[in-house]
Amino acid sequence: MIEITLPDGSIKEFEKGATPMEVAKSISEGLARNVISAKFNDITVECSTPLTKNGSLTLYTWNDKEGKKAFWHSTSHIVAQALEELYPGVKLTIGPAIENGFYYDVDLPEGNISEKDFPTIEQKALEIARGKHDFEMRDVSKSDALKFYKEQGNEYKVELIENLEDGSITFCDHDTFTDLCRGGHIPNTGIVKAIKILSVAGAYWRGDENKPQLTRVYGISFPKQKDLTEYLELLEEAKKRDHRKLGKELELFTFSQKVGQGLPLWLPKGAALRERLEQFLKKAQKKAGYEMVVTPHIGQKELYVTSGHYAKYGEDSFQPIRTPKEDEEFLLKPMNCPHHCEIYNTRPFSYKELPKRYAEFGTVYRYEQSGELHGLTRVRGFTQDDAHIFCTPDQLDQEFKEVIDLSLYVLGSLGFEDFTAQVSVRDLENPEKYIGSVENWEKAEQAIINAAKEKGLDYVIESGEAAFYGPKLDFMVKDALGRHWQLGTIQVDYNLPERFELTYKGSDNEMHRPVMIHRAPFGSMERFIALLLEHTGGNFPLWLIPDQAIVLPVSEKHEKYAEKVLKSLENNEIRALIDNRNETVGKKIREAEMKKIPFMLIVGENDESSTTVSVRRHGGEDLGAISIENFCDLVSTEINSTLKSFKE
């Protein structure tokens, strides 16, 4: 007999060789019907894998992240079989599950796959799925595996196998199809009820532009047709909310090939919006005891060698700037923290003067590959709302919790209420990825976990997601479309103070190292604004939106009164404009709706005689005729209800 420990801590005995599916059946028939994948001792296994020793078992359904991963990976096999049958001579490479769905990279013998081919691929894949074929794993010797793919003429699989150790190679079979695979499948193909091919793209083999270009087929699948229908509706809504589309319509930002890829240009309305975000945070930071600093956009190469950033970003970033002086090199700064360390180093500090909190809206530069650039979410130059706190070890816990408070204030003020906290720690199996002592890493990781607990955050621990110099806490926000984004980060760092030899004099008159906290509630201004655009659909909070109201005179003879209304609004610090074009009021309203302007103030003869405005909200709600003073009060009340002062 073997003992199986379940997630709730209970232990059950089974005969040696029992499978995860048999364990599920012993719990309930309902669970067995829904289980689609499993992990045993943290290793992914099939539902049919015989369990031969004591261990911990976790069962997954479609509702679990790991369940979806197995579902989509299994579908990639089904689609690969469909491609083999539809495109004789196609060479398969890899087909992993991704965050939403899967892809499979293939080398086509000739021609290409276009959108018109999608229905045919989907139909063939569903036909295979309906056969309810079991996914079965089998061990294969390295020589047999190489022989199999050499006979197929598939040099890609041969290359993969050559890098694997004999005894660790497995194939997955279903129906007439075989693929090189590590495992992690649903029980059978019949569980897949809906398949959609989403797009095709070019992709270099192993991401190397010097290697052959393949065709990447993206797709997604579901256990019910209804789920696919809902997903496609969500995709359509996401297209409407695409920040690149809205940014153009709302005249916020643009890009220029002459300026360079990944280098956004902020238009007047976008620049004003950025400025309001900056002032909002600066006001809160001032209350929290931060001091603003300014650092240059470049620094000597040695600065980033000392910090470790050159080793991290140097080769894949912008190349050094050489000056007329021999051997003198500068870099566009990839991070602000080395500069802030040097600011701290300008004079000696006593423990009584700590913590020191330096904040900066600092622009940094990283050379992202052109294929990875995406609107404002992935750029080559971006501005971080960066701050670095230098404190004593005894102050670390309280300082970290206060940064959590500030981050929660920022997210709440901008409508991001649904989030989890992710504590990112080291990958213990790859210690070479990180700098600093094990002792300091352990202290830093524990400090973050303790703070998250004390603040009552809903948090998860993710191994291998830490920065190279220290662990961090990231806020994973769920937007209006149910998508998850990382917004805001707090990091504990014992390493840079060591590298820059930062010190303070303690109460014992001895010199000590401060602890450093890195903190950016927005993350980057560019990415934050992009996600805010998509979350709100361009309907920003009233306190932030570029134009809060637009005055629409009914005819030319009402323009003078419209100017008077505008002046009153401006005197009450309401951002407004006039549309005095020779167009119908209906057209002006439609265009104001397109521009997401919250209030439309229509002024005609009756309004002028009674000193009122006829107010229409974005979306069509008619508030009727009200005095200008009452309208200003309405705007003020609405702003005050959504924008509280920090630590109010």
Side-chain angles (χ1 to χ4, degrees):
M1 302 295 287
I2 57 172
E3 291 185 341
I4 302 298
T5 304
L6 299 171
D8 65 359
S10 62
I11 299 173
K12 287 193 165 195
E13 280 198 343
F14 294 89
E15 285 191 16
K16 187 176 181 180
T19 67
M21 186 58 76
E22 288 168 345
V23 174
K25 284 178 180 175
S26 77
I27 298 170
S28 79
E29 285 294 331
L31 177 62
R33 282 194 297 273
N34 289 301
V35 164
I36 55 176
S37 73
K39 272 191 176 178
F40 186 63
N41 291 338
D42 282 331
I43 296 172
T44 298
V45 295
E46 308 293 299
C47 288
S48 57
T49 301
L51 307 178
T52 58
K53 60 184 178 182
N54 297 343
S56 300
L57 179 70
T58 307
L59 302 168
Y60 299 109
T61 70
W62 164 257
N63 295 323
D64 299 306
K65 184 178 177 181
E66 288 292 332
K68 286 184 174 67
K69 183 178 177 182
F71 194 95
W72 287 330
H73 172 61
S74 302
T75 311
S76 79
H77 283 290
I78 297 169
V79 169
Q81 181 184 357
L83 292 172
E84 272 198 341
E85 293 182 14
L86 292 169
Y87 300 91
V90 68
K91 295 177 183 178
L92 306 178
T93 65
I94 57 170
I98 54 178
E99 186 177 358
N100 281 305
F102 59 89
Y103 69 77
Y104 213 111
D105 286 348
V106 298
D107 186 352
L108 293 169
E110 56 185 32
N112 56 30
I113 296 172
S114 67
E115 199 168 333
K116 65 179 176 57
D117 301 314
F118 293 178
T120 305
I121 299 169
E122 292 161 5
Q123 187 177 348
K124 174 60 73 173
L126 281 171
E127 182 185 306
I128 294 165
R130 291 188 197 106
K132 297 184 179 179
H133 309 291
D134 290 342
F135 286 98
E136 297 178 348
M137 298 295 295
R138 59 186 167 96
D139 295 322
V140 183
S141 69
K142 188 167 185 175
S143 60
D144 285 347
L146 287 170
K147 181 183 178 188
F148 179 81
Y149 282 111
K150 282 178 179 176
E151 286 177 356
Q152 282 192 1
N154 188 329
E155 65 273 25
Y156 305 103
K157 297 286 191 183
V158 168
E159 184 179 328
L160 292 173
I161 293 165
E162 283 174 341
N163 292 319
L164 298 175
E165 289 185 20
D166 203 354
S168 68
I169 299 168
T170 51
F171 281 3
C172 178
D173 302 322
H174 77 266
D175 191 20
T176 59
F177 181 76
T178 294
D179 203 355
L180 175 70
C181 187
R182 283 196 295 259
H185 305 92
I186 59 179
N188 68 75
T189 63
I191 299 169
V192 180
K193 303 292 186 186
I195 299 173
K196 183 70 179 175
I197 304 302
L198 298 171
S199 62
V200 289
Y204 292 109
W205 171 234
R206 294 197 149 180
D208 187 341
E209 60 186 19
N210 297 312
K211 292 186 176 179
Q213 189 173 54
L214 308 170
T215 298
R216 177 166 292 178
V217 180
Y218 286 98
I220 197 164
S221 59
F222 295 90
K224 296 177 184 175
Q225 180 62 41
K226 177 176 74 76
D227 294 337
L228 174 58
T229 302
E230 289 174 358
Y231 178 78
L232 294 176
E233 288 171 356
L234 204 64
L235 275 188
E236 283 305 308
E237 182 61 26
K239 285 179 187 175
K240 293 176 192 172
R241 291 171 177 249
D242 189 313
H243 75 276
R244 295 167 298 178
K245 174 178 176 287
L246 289 174
K248 184 176 182 180
E249 290 173 358
L250 301 178
E251 299 176 357
L252 299 178
F253 61 88
T254 188
F255 289 89
S256 162
Q257 287 296 324
K258 287 184 179 178
V259 172
Q261 285 185 295
L263 300 171
L265 300 170
W266 290 91
L267 305 177
K269 288 183 181 179
L273 183 141
R274 273 179 61 128
E275 177 65 18
R276 276 188 289 281
L277 280 173
E278 285 190 19
Q279 292 306 320
F280 155 75
L281 185 54
K282 282 178 179 177
K283 188 176 177 181
Q285 285 178 166
K286 188 173 182 181
K287 283 190 174 184
Y290 289 83
E291 299 172 278
M292 295 301 298
V293 297
V294 178
T295 62
H297 291 246
I298 64 173
Q300 285 203 93
K301 177 181 171 183
E302 286 308 309
L303 176 70
Y304 309 112
V305 171
T306 300
S307 69
H309 289 101
Y310 184 74
K312 174 75 175 176
Y313 296 109
E315 289 184 10
D316 297 323
S317 197
F318 288 97
Q319 293 304 296
I321 303 164
R322 292 180 175 83
T323 71
K325 185 178 177 182
E326 190 176 352
D327 296 329
E328 186 176 56
E329 292 183 329
F330 287 79
L331 291 179
L332 288 169
K333 68 174 173 182
M335 294 289 266
N336 299 299
C337 33
H339 297 251
H340 291 193
C341 287
E342 287 300 289
I343 287 176
Y344 179 89
N345 250 342
T346 53
R347 71 173 181 85
F349 285 100
S350 156
Y351 73 98
K352 293 181 180 180
E353 298 174 279
L354 299 186
K356 295 299 292 183
R357 308 178 186 97
Y358 297 134
E360 174 182 18
F361 285 85
T363 303
V364 298
Y365 303 89
R366 298 175 196 168
Y367 189 80
E368 303 286 357
Q369 295 298 315
S370 59
E372 295 176 341
L373 298 174
H374 182 80
L376 294 181
T377 59
R378 199 74 180 264
V379 288
R380 287 173 173 167
F382 54 95
T383 302
Q384 295 178 311
D385 58 318
D386 228 346
H388 298 94
I389 301 167
F390 302 89
C391 63
T392 70
D394 290 343
Q395 294 168 333
L396 175 61
D397 182 63
Q398 184 60 31
E399 286 299 311
F400 199 94
K401 286 188 285 189
E402 288 186 9
V403 176
I404 290 176
D405 288 339
L406 181 62
S407 299
L408 296 179
Y409 168 70
V410 169
L411 294 176
S413 298
L414 288 151
F416 291 107
E417 303 288 355
D418 190 352
F419 61 85
T420 55
Q422 176 177 300
V423 178
S424 300
V425 298
R426 292 161 296 164
D427 177 358
L428 295 175
E429 294 181 7
N430 293 288
E432 72 282 354
K433 289 164 60 177
Y434 310 100
I435 60 176
S437 70
V438 171
E439 180 189 4
N440 283 343
W441 270 91
E442 288 174 349
K443 285 193 291 186
E445 288 171 347
Q446 197 55 53
I448 293 179
I449 292 168
N450 290 344
K453 282 179 181 175
E454 287 184 43
K455 281 295 173 185
L457 296 180
D458 176 16
Y459 74 93
V460 294
I461 297 175
E462 290 289 344
S463 177
E465 294 298 315
F468 71 97
Y469 52 78
K472 57 181 180 169
L473 183 142
D474 294 324
F475 291 93
M476 312 303 291
V477 175
K478 188 176 181 180
D479 72 8
L481 297 179
R483 300 170 302 183
H484 289 85
W485 305 94
Q486 185 260 311
L487 276 182
T489 186
I490 316 171
Q491 303 168 4
V492 176
D493 184 359
Y494 283 86
N495 293 309
L496 285 188
E498 288 275 357
R499 285 174 168 250
F500 282 93
E501 299 180 349
L502 308 184
T503 60
Y504 68 90
K505 184 176 282 189
S507 57
D508 57 1
N509 281 326
E510 298 294 325
M511 302 308 290
H512 300 272
R513 288 264 184 264
V515 184
M516 190 173 175
I517 299 175
H518 305 245
R519 176 240 76 178
F522 291 143
S524 88
M525 299 299 290
E526 287 72 15
R527 188 168 180 273
F528 189 87
I529 289 171
L531 302 188
L532 187 60
L533 262 170
E534 298 197 0
H535 178 58
T536 63
N539 297 305
F540 292 114
L542 187 57
W543 66 268
L544 180 63
I545 199 158
D547 297 315
Q548 295 168 322
I550 185 167
V551 185
L552 307 177
V554 172
S555 68
E556 191 176 332
K557 65 181 180 180
H558 305 114
E559 286 182 11
K560 193 168 283 188
Y561 178 61
E563 294 282 354
K564 182 182 174 183
V565 171
L566 180 65
K567 192 71 175 173
S568 296
L569 298 178
E570 289 173 343
N571 288 341
N572 283 275
E573 297 185 348
I574 294 173
R575 297 183 294 277
L577 67 159
I578 292 178
D579 185 349
N580 55 12
R581 295 173 302 152
N582 187 25
E583 298 287 356
T584 65
V585 172
K587 183 172 182 180
K588 291 177 181 180
I589 289 173
R590 285 193 298 275
E591 292 185 8
E593 286 280 346
M594 290 284 291
K595 291 176 180 176
K596 317 285 186 184
I597 298 173
F599 294 102
M600 286 146 262
L601 311 184
I602 301 154
V603 294
E605 198 164 322
N606 291 340
D607 299 291
E608 187 168 356
S609 61
S610 58
T611 323
T612 60
V613 288
S614 296
V615 183
R616 174 193 169 99
R617 272 189 181 275
H618 173 67
E621 184 186 357
D622 187 357
L623 302 185
I626 59 177
S627 70
I628 299 170
E629 184 181 352
N630 285 347
F631 173 73
C632 293
D633 288 343
L634 176 107
V635 171
S636 177
T637 301
E638 192 163 317
I639 288 173
N640 290 335
S641 70
T642 56
L643 184 61
K644 308 290 185 186
S645 293
F646 182 54
K647 294 190 174 179
E648 192 172 80

